[in-house]
Amino acid sequence: MSVYGSEVNAVARPSATVLETLLLQGVEYPHGCTTGFCGLCKSRLLSGQVEHLDYMDSALSDEEKRVGLILPCCAISTSDCVIEPAVSDVPLPPVVSLEAEIVRIEPVSPEVRLVQLCSPRPFEFLAGQYASLTFDGLPPREFSMASEPGNAAIDFYIKCVRGGAVTDQGLARAVVGDRVTVRGPFGTAFLRTDDASPIVAVGGGTGIAPILSMLSSGLGKGIRGIAVRLDKAQIVRITNTHGNQVVDTWAFNASETSEFMSMEHTRASLKKLTPCCGESFVTNKRRPILTLLSDSSPGIHDTLIAACDRHRYELLGHVGYHDNCTDNLAAAMQAMGMVLPETPCPLNLFMNIPVIQGNRLDWCPPASKPGDHVTLRAEMEVIIVFSACPMDLLPVNGVDCTPSDVAVSID
């Protein structure tokens, strides 16, 4: 068995898959789940014949099979073979192994634990990918990353399966300070940041983990607005990762989007420009929709300024199209099958627009610091939309006018 373009020449073992043969002989071959589920090992069969064991249709379609693609993890060679790894549409980060430390274990539901690891160096992956975790003395298990790529802190949401050696017994014994082996990243279901298409993300149970990773990564890059449905009493946390990013925020009654969070009605209700912790934003029907639960920043946010749009950038002298929060909102809602007749004035989290000289407005960098966060609780079933403001012509995103990433998590 040979790998095209390399000096690999492996001898197949009886009943061993193509991938097993390569790995047993020390060949570093692209792979993920090893069970015909993820498709990461997908390869071209340049010569020879194989027989496939069972695999998921989503990992290898009939059309791909007809044009000569195989899944080495589920293929047994029946003759001398030459294979070539299929090229991904996006360059994939290299698979690495590292020892990480558990720094946080927290229940988020009766069956799910948030496990946060700290690695000795930033863990590079693409938002949506997964890794193999090995707890002390236990077999490896695969879990999706819920955090943003490129950080030393890595979040996982792990469901405790009753009787499971790893998720029930192993996780029950795990404590902060334990070591975990992380191997990855794996998977080809990840955020394509060069695709401007609307995104619809659906996740059940711990399937929300890769969506959260995509959400925080995509939102930070301002690729499009992100819309998320929240149940009543559900909590969302927005973290200003670098301290200098404005986040335009909208909330709509999920049953009737003509009712939405209104800055004008909120100011009249509170008799001030911004609420304090424990106070609620209200809708255009004067009903509470989001409550500000906590705010680690200085509490400077804006309720006056309309969302940026193409006309705003034209007035500032920009030539050609510029990403903007108005279009981001429209795209996010369109992805959920909804079209808005107008763009409500957003809650501009972390935006610093002081009133000076009695009635003038100034445009200043955020007063927040890296890691400052705001938590909001839904007071009805809502669709909440976030847009990391792409403004780079005024210092609202810092003195260097450079938008940066933020992180969003949902409890």
Side-chain angles (χ1 to χ4, degrees), residues 12-359:
R13 301 190 178 191
S15 301
T17 66
V18 172
L19 180 62
E20 288 171 339
T21 297
L22 295 172
L23 296 181
L24 286 171
Q25 297 188 46
V27 179
E28 282 287 343
Y29 199 82
H31 70 282
C33 65
T34 72
T35 57
F37 183 80
C38 73
L40 188 59
C41 68
K42 193 179 300 179
S43 303
R44 292 181 177 83
L45 181 63
L46 301 180
S47 65
Q49 295 182 334
V50 301
E51 291 183 358
H52 273 100
L53 305 175
D54 291 337
Y55 58 87
M56 295 290 292
D57 292 341
S58 58
L60 182 70
S61 68
D62 289 341
E63 177 59 28
E64 288 174 323
K65 196 172 178 180
R66 277 194 292 271
V67 298
L69 295 180
I70 66 170
L71 288 179
C73 69
C74 296
I76 297 176
S77 61
T78 57
S79 69
D80 289 338
C81 297
V82 178
I83 64 172
E84 179 185 31
V87 178
S88 170
D89 59 336
V90 175
L92 300 177
V95 174
V96 299
S97 291
L98 51 87
E99 293 294 317
E101 178 182 347
I102 299 177
V103 294
R104 183 182 175 194
I105 301 178
E106 181 179 301
V108 295
S109 80
E111 297 182 334
V112 178
R113 301 291 181 270
L114 166 61
V115 178
Q116 186 177 74
L117 305 179
C118 184
S119 67
R121 60 184 183 276
F123 184 45
E124 300 295 342
F125 61 92
L126 300 175
Q129 288 190 295
Y130 64 94
S132 173
L133 303 186
T134 304
F135 293 84
D136 185 35
L138 297 172
R141 291 290 186 271
E142 287 75 37
F143 303 100
S144 295
M145 282 72 74
S147 49
E148 188 180 356
N151 295 320
I154 319 166
D155 291 347
F156 297 90
Y157 286 92
I158 299 179
K159 182 177 181 179
C160 299
V161 179
R162 183 171 297 178
V166 174
T167 60
D168 186 5
Q169 303 171 36
L171 194 56
R173 297 196 308 266
V175 295
V176 171
D178 283 356
R179 310 292 293 181
V180 177
T181 300
V182 180
R183 180 170 172 77
F186 303 116
T188 56
F190 49 79
L191 183 67
R192 269 66 173 179
T193 56
D194 59 348
D195 187 346
S197 304
I199 297 172
V200 178
V202 180
T206 56
I208 197 173
I211 294 174
L212 291 177
S213 181
M214 293 181 192
L215 191 153
S216 60
S217 180
L219 181 62
K221 293 175 175 60
I223 59 167
R224 281 294 179 265
I226 304 284
V228 181
R229 185 182 291 265
L230 299 180
D231 293 330
K232 183 177 180 179
Q234 203 163 10
I235 295 171
V236 61
R237 173 175 171 139
I238 306 96
T239 301
N240 205 334
T241 312
H242 300 282
N244 58 357
Q245 179 62 48
V246 170
V247 184
D248 286 38
T249 304
W250 296 266
F252 300 85
N253 181 337
S255 301
E256 180 51 68
T257 56
S258 63
E259 182 178 13
F260 51 81
M261 181 170 67
S262 167
M263 296 302 99
E264 300 92 325
H265 293 78
T266 296
R267 292 193 298 269
S269 173
L270 298 178
K271 300 181 177 64
K272 52 186 172 182
L273 292 179
T274 55
C276 298
C277 292
E279 296 178 330
S280 297
F281 296 91
V282 301
T283 71
N284 54 331
K285 295 184 178 180
R286 303 184 191 275
R287 298 196 300 159
I289 186 169
L290 292 178
T291 296
L292 178 62
L293 291 186
S294 67
D295 184 358
S296 70
S297 78
I300 297 175
H301 311 284
D302 171 69
T303 64
L304 296 173
I305 303 302
C308 59
D309 51 33
R310 63 183 183 86
H311 309 293
R312 174 66 166 154
Y313 287 101
E314 289 171 359
L315 290 172
L316 291 172
H318 182 79
V319 178
Y321 182 78
H322 194 294
D323 287 335
N324 62 82
C325 292
T326 296
D327 288 351
N328 285 355
L329 169 65
M333 294 300 283
Q334 182 183 3
M336 301 192 79
M338 301 175 185
V339 177
L340 298 176
E342 60 179 315
T343 301
C345 183
L347 163 63
N348 296 307
L349 290 171
F350 310 111
M351 193 174 190
N352 186 7
I353 306 294
V355 178
I356 59 175
Q357 298 177 3
N359 67 348

Side-chain angles (χ1 to χ4, degrees), residues 345-383:
C345 183
L347 163 63
N348 296 307
L349 290 171
F350 310 111
M351 193 174 190
N352 186 7
I353 306 294
V355 178
I356 59 175
Q357 298 177 3
N359 67 348
R360 292 185 56 211
L361 300 179
D362 199 3
W363 304 82
C364 298
S368 48
K369 62 183 182 301
D372 274 344
H373 56 270
V374 168
T375 57
L376 302 167
R377 181 182 66 213
E379 300 302 335
M380 62 177 71
E381 187 177 355
V382 304
I383 296 170

